[in-house]
Amino acid sequence: MTIRIGIMGYGNLGRGVECAIKQSTDMELAAVFTRRDPQTVSILTPSAGVYRVEDAEKMADKIDVMILCGGSATDLPEQTPKYAKQFNLVDSFDTHAKIPEHFDAVDRSAKESGKLAVVSAGWDPGMFSLNRLYAESILPCGSSYTFWGKGVSQGHSDAIRRIKGVKDARQYTIPLENALEAVRSGNTPEFTTREKHLRECFVVAEQGEDLERIEKEIVTMPNYFAEYDTIVHFISEEEMQRDHSGIPHGGFVIRSGKTGWEEENIHIIEYRLQLDSNPEFTSSVLLATARAVYRMAAAGMTGCKTLFDIPPAYFSPKDGRELREHLL
Amino acid sequence: MTIRIGIMGYGNLGRGVECAIKQSTDMELAAVFTRRDPQTVSILTPSAGVYRVEDAEKMADKIDVMILCGGSATDLPEQTPKYAKQFNLVDSFDTHAKIPEHFDAVDRSAKESGKLAVVSAGWDPGMFSLNRLYAESILPCGSSYTFWGKGVSQGHSDAIRRIKGVKDARQYTIPLENALEAVRSGNTPEFTTREKHLRECFVVAEQGEDLERIEKEIVTMPNYFAEYDTIVHFISEEEMQRDHSGIPHGGFVIRSGKTGWEEENIHIIEYRLQLDSNPEFTSSVLLATARAVYRMAAAGMTGCKTLFDIPPAYFSPKDGRELREHLL
């Protein structure tokens, strides 16, 4: 029996889900939905069709789980509650501050329809959240740290591109090795923003622009760069193309906690991701979550859930006995 | 409302559970059960009583979750199925090859009584298993690696102590940095036993013994040392006492996997533990699992489960909204 997946939105994330389906023998791509003209969208899977977003509702009986691959700023707040009326689904909503609000809207919608929705699947929120939860539950006396990078921050790259005279830019968030080592050594320091991460920028300037002015505008930009040590490199378009076309990311979740009657023993739990492709890894989490959604829905669960609510075995195509024999 | 915990067996693990309860405001220690004369066992918690193992059955209504702190060789195969007839419980059964058999015996017993049992909670099996499962589910095309250490192996220390002329011994299992780096770099090498771990031994010899003979007996011991590079240090009793009285352990679970239509992107997921006290960390996992057992039992679940079956939120004292607001 195969789980039929629908992809809503065919950008980096949607294409990543399509690639992940190729690696999963218990899944198949049923359809891709796009806001563009379907004639202009060519996908990689010969057996699947491309349809207009408006056609999704007619195809509810052909799709077991819909994976929403839109953005968190404007797409998902509207789409997830809407499609939860007809589909079991999963999204990667990642605006941390608005998760409770998003959750409530989706929960209302999915409870009304009797469907199951999982929101905020990915790596942060997602696998990082799970690791924060497990680690804090095991070691209640302690401190948790999240470090991001080394990786491309889309938001910071965009902020640089908005500066006058900038043709292209790529910003890497880099965790500071000193800070990581301090946490790993069992200390529980409180860091300033500057002490945790460094920002490294690669910028292509327009011909004849004042590079000093651009650099100054970058490093003094409030919220984005002013609170950090920021390094700016001016490079050519060719160098940008050659050296910075990937979308790597990753990071660390570290919990340092104490046990013992007098809290005499220190334990460090560290979870680390090194990702060649931020969107493809997120897509891979989305697809494994779609498998879990399918099973939880089959077991009669409805409403909105997060990764916190999913028994881990549901992510795997293997059955309980196989998991206990080979992975436990 | 407080979860009343019973501890069955008061060794390192039982004492660790007792310490962990002190850090958990939603738990209390109801009773410790021992095979020794209760008069001779002094515990740290003034409010809790110490009872004979035989008295446990009379106290079923005073205990919400029993934590079995015996050994996997002889205690748990007998105790866990037995006490699952009367208690919701958790154990740390860690003989990997016998988990399916243990699971089945406990499952039969717990289903008959309508109780809930979770077996093999700890770190390996336990948190390492969970990380193997999540990582393999997200990245189906790839290889998983488990490294242990640096940490004390009780079994290997005991094996050295059985050699004639050895007064005391401590063996550390040490993962090889080269092997870790090879995996982290995105290669998926196949290692020999010798390439993954080193064994370092600290030995106190009896006066006048032939140290060369002892060293040779250690490094050539089949199954324990012959397949490894082994380093032997002879030290004094004072040095043993001063430098090697702790029970540290830890290790790494690393998954290296590929995504993309042509598998062009590599991702590394790494989970690492550095534990000052192996038993206290295991105890901390057992206690968090006891919280989950309590809730799953309250939700009507029965039979035997493992960490694979537990929604992560159940491990935390925080409610769903709080978790979504602060940890997601």
Side-chain angles (χ1 to χ4, degrees):
Chain A
M1 193 241 24
T2 305
I3 305 172
R4 299 167 304 170
I5 301 293
I7 293 174
M8 174 70 61
Y10 195 69
N12 282 335
L13 216 50
R15 203 157 30 240
V17 170
E18 184 182 21
C19 295
I21 291 171
K22 189 189 180 194
Q23 297 183 341
S24 299
T25 52
D26 61 337
M27 313 274 218
E28 69 179 36
L29 178 59
V32 169
F33 300 94
T34 176
R35 276 183 300 222
R36 291 175 273 169
D37 175 359
Q39 303 290 344
T40 68
V41 175
S42 92
I43 65 171
L44 302 162
T45 310
S47 58
V50 182
Y51 305 88
R52 289 181 191 283
V53 162
E54 296 76 31
D55 293 337
E57 300 172 26
K58 288 179 251 169
M59 294 179 64
D61 63 330
K62 294 191 168 53
I63 287 160
D64 295 313
V65 184
M66 185 73 92
I67 301 183
L68 302 186
C69 297
S72 297
T74 55
D75 298 334
L76 298 177
E78 186 217 314
Q79 289 180 345
T80 314
K82 176 178 170 185
Y83 290 109
K85 289 180 184 153
Q86 289 197 295
F87 295 95
N88 298 313
L89 61 78
V90 50
D91 82 10
S92 64
F93 185 81
D94 66 0
T95 312
H96 286 264
K98 293 189 175 170
I99 287 174
E101 182 186 332
H102 185 62
F103 180 93
D104 289 340
V106 176
D107 194 46
R108 273 192 300 276
S109 176
K111 278 202 176 122
E112 228 179 86
S113 64
K115 297 291 179 186
L116 182 72
V118 171
V119 298
S120 301
W123 61 274
D124 195 2
M127 297 312 297
F128 272 18
S129 322
L130 276 177
N131 276 280
R132 287 188 282 261
L133 171 58
Y134 278 121
E136 182 186 290
S137 301
I138 295 168
L139 298 173
C141 291
S143 302
S144 293
Y145 298 85
T146 301
F147 293 87
W148 294 274
K150 181 182 177 177
V152 173
S153 164
Q154 222 56 63
H156 288 79
S157 300
D158 289 344
I160 301 173
R161 286 192 203 102
R162 286 191 295 265
I163 293 175
K164 184 182 155 291
V166 169
K167 205 165 174 184
D168 197 4
R170 204 76 82 255
Q171 194 270 182
Y172 295 91
T173 306
I174 302 173
L176 288 167
E177 199 56 44
N178 280 351
L180 284 168
E181 280 310 316
V183 174
R184 285 192 190 118
S185 74
N187 296 320
T188 51
E190 295 206 19
F191 295 113
T192 62
T193 299
R194 194 179 301 274
E195 288 167 338
K196 281 185 76 184
H197 295 95
L198 179 78
R199 299 203 174 277
E200 188 172 23
C201 314
F202 294 86
V203 181
V204 180
E206 304 278 4
Q207 196 81 38
E209 287 288 338
D210 178 352
L211 304 187
E212 261 182 61
R213 177 201 41 94
I214 292 177
E215 176 164 352
K216 198 175 163 205
E217 283 196 40
I218 295 173
V219 303
T220 59
M221 196 186 297
N223 301 318
Y224 285 90
F225 295 101
E227 299 75 16
Y228 297 86
D229 288 336
T230 301
I231 300 169
V232 179
H233 309 276
F234 289 96
I235 60 173
S236 69
E237 270 191 281
E238 294 68 40
E239 287 170 310
M240 180 64 81
Q241 184 70 24
R242 188 190 65 206
D243 302 332
H244 304 284
S245 58
I247 320 175
H249 220 311
F252 304 78
V253 171
I254 309 181
R255 175 97 182 157
S256 173
K258 295 180 176 183
T259 66
W261 197 251
E262 305 290 347
E263 303 190 349
E264 61 272 28
N265 288 312
I266 296 176
H267 308 274
I268 311 289
I269 304 175
E270 175 173 342
Y271 182 78
R272 178 184 187 183
L273 295 175
Q274 293 180 79
L275 313 175
D276 267 3
S277 165
N278 182 353
E280 282 183 11
F281 188 80
T282 301
S283 301
S284 297
V285 176
L286 283 169
L287 190 67
T289 306
R291 181 182 290 120
V293 165
Y294 179 77
R295 293 178 180 177
M296 292 164 84
M301 296 178 78
T302 64
C304 191
K305 306 283 175 189
T306 73
L307 298 192
F308 292 163
D309 307 303
I310 304 178
Y314 281 9
F315 291 98
S316 171
K318 297 180 175 163
D319 70 17
R321 172 160 295 269
E322 217 177 336
L323 292 177
R324 288 190 295 274
E325 275 176 11
H326 299 295
L327 293 181
L328 200 63
Chain B
M1 194 242 23
T2 305
I3 304 172
R4 300 166 303 168
I5 301 292
I7 293 174
M8 173 70 61
Y10 195 69
N12 283 334
L13 215 52
R15 203 158 28 242
V17 170
E18 183 182 22
C19 294
I21 292 171
K22 189 188 180 193
Q23 296 183 343
S24 300
T25 52
D26 61 336
M27 312 274 219
E28 69 178 35
L29 179 59
V32 168
F33 300 94
T34 176
R35 277 184 298 222
R36 291 174 274 168
D37 175 359
Q39 303 291 342
T40 68
V41 174
S42 91
I43 66 171
L44 302 162
T45 310
S47 59
V50 182
Y51 305 88
R52 289 181 191 282
V53 162
E54 296 75 30
D55 293 337
E57 300 172 26
K58 287 178 250 169
M59 295 179 64
D61 63 330
K62 294 192 169 52
I63 288 161
D64 295 313
V65 183
M66 185 72 91
I67 301 183
L68 302 186
C69 297
S72 296
T74 55
D75 298 334
L76 299 177
E78 186 218 313
Q79 289 180 346
T80 314
K82 176 178 169 183
Y83 290 108
K85 290 181 183 153
Q86 289 197 294
F87 295 95
N88 298 312
L89 61 78
V90 49
D91 81 11
S92 64
F93 185 81
D94 66 0
T95 312
H96 286 264
K98 294 189 175 170
I99 287 174
E101 181 187 332
H102 185 62
F103 181 93
D104 289 340
V106 175
D107 194 46
R108 273 193 300 277
S109 175
K111 278 202 175 122
E112 228 178 86
S113 64
K115 297 293 179 185
L116 181 72
V118 170
V119 298
S120 302
W123 61 274
D124 194 4
M127 297 313 297
F128 272 18
S129 321
L130 275 176
N131 276 280
R132 286 187 284 260
L133 171 58
Y134 278 121
E136 181 187 289
S137 302
I138 295 168
L139 298 173
C141 291
S143 302
S144 293
Y145 298 85
T146 302
F147 293 87
W148 294 275
K150 180 181 175 174
V152 172
S153 164
Q154 222 56 63
H156 288 78
S157 301
D158 289 344
I160 301 173
R161 286 192 203 101
R162 287 191 294 264
I163 293 175
K164 184 182 153 297
V166 169
K167 204 165 173 182
D168 197 5
R170 204 76 83 254
Q171 194 269 182
Y172 295 91
T173 305
I174 302 173
L176 288 167
E177 200 55 46
N178 279 351
L180 284 167
E181 280 310 317
V183 173
R184 285 192 189 118
S185 75
N187 297 319
T188 51
E190 296 205 20
F191 294 113
T192 61
T193 299
R194 194 179 302 275
E195 287 168 341
K196 282 184 76 185
H197 295 94
L198 178 78
R199 298 203 175 276
E200 188 172 22
C201 314
F202 294 86
V203 181
V204 180
E206 304 279 3
Q207 195 81 37
E209 288 288 337
D210 178 353
L211 302 186
E212 261 183 62
R213 179 203 38 94
I214 291 176
E215 176 164 353
K216 198 174 164 205
E217 283 195 42
I218 294 172
V219 303
T220 58
M221 197 186 296
N223 302 316
Y224 285 89
F225 294 101
E227 300 75 16
Y228 297 86
D229 287 335
T230 301
I231 300 169
V232 179
H233 309 275
F234 289 96
I235 60 173
S236 69
E237 271 192 279
E238 294 68 41
E239 286 170 311
M240 179 65 80
Q241 184 69 23
R242 188 190 67 207
D243 302 333
H244 304 283
S245 58
I247 321 175
H249 220 311
F252 304 78
V253 170
I254 309 181
R255 176 105 182 149
S256 172
K258 295 181 176 183
T259 67
W261 197 252
E262 306 289 347
E263 302 190 351
E264 61 272 28
N265 289 311
I266 296 177
H267 308 273
I268 312 288
I269 304 175
E270 175 172 342
Y271 182 77
R272 178 183 189 184
L273 295 175
Q274 293 180 77
L275 313 176
D276 267 3
S277 165
N278 182 353
E280 281 182 12
F281 189 80
T282 300
S283 300
S284 296
V285 176
L286 284 169
L287 190 67
T289 306
R291 181 183 290 119
V293 164
Y294 179 78
R295 293 180 179 175
M296 294 164 84
M301 296 178 77
T302 63
C304 191
K305 307 283 174 189
T306 73
L307 298 191
F308 292 163
D309 307 303
I310 304 178
Y314 282 8
F315 291 98
S316 171
K318 296 180 175 162
D319 70 17
R321 172 160 294 268
E322 218 178 334
L323 291 177
R324 289 189 295 274
E325 275 176 11
H326 300 295
L327 293 182
L328 200 64

